[in-house]
Amino acid sequence: MTAVQPVHATAVAQWGPGIGWRAILISGPSGAGKSDLALRLIGRGWRLVADDYVHVFASGEALYTTAPDTIRGRMEARGVGVICACLRGVVRLVLAVDLTESTPERLPDPETRRLAGRSVPLLRLAGFEASAVEKVASAIAPL
């Protein structure tokens, strides 16, 4: 296991039959919609891993994510305050999502993000776009 890398991001996880829990890491500038996208995913049955700061570490060839103890089970909902959320512990990280204010490319070339010495696929999205939830879900769907 590598050292834990703290990342300014939000992580949520989805259960996949026969696959288990898989997490995505949502990053972007303040106000880009990280927690908003996470709340919409949670509304579709996903679980919070961590909000605002996420611990990422490598074990073997895989990346994993978990919440710092100080914020475990809580997330900030802009305009509401800090709320409690269903929680997952340590989850394998399978996708990084970078929220952008500019319009993402229609057919982007594949990208990766390097975390804790490993690479994970990277998807760039407009966080407040209505279709962002479906885009994230399809990006991690098994083929």
Side-chain angles (χ1 to χ4, degrees), residues 13-14 25-26 33 42 62 73 76 86 95 104 119-120 136 140 142:
Q14 179 189 49
L25 185 75
I26 307 168
I42 289 168
E76 180 185 341
C86 289
L95 178 70
S119 293
V120 65
V136 167
I140 69 166

Side-chain angles (χ1 to χ4, degrees), residues 10-14 22-26 38 41-42 46-50:
T10 295
V12 290
Q14 179 189 49
R22 298 168 302 152
I24 64 163
L25 185 75
I26 307 168
L41 288 163
I42 289 168
W46 293 54
R47 296 289 185 260
L48 176 70
V49 177

Side-chain angles (χ1 to χ4, degrees), residues 6 27 42 54-55 65 94 100 112 120 130-131:
S27 60
I42 289 168
V54 179
H55 285 167
T65 183
V94 298
T100 177
T112 60
V120 65
S131 61

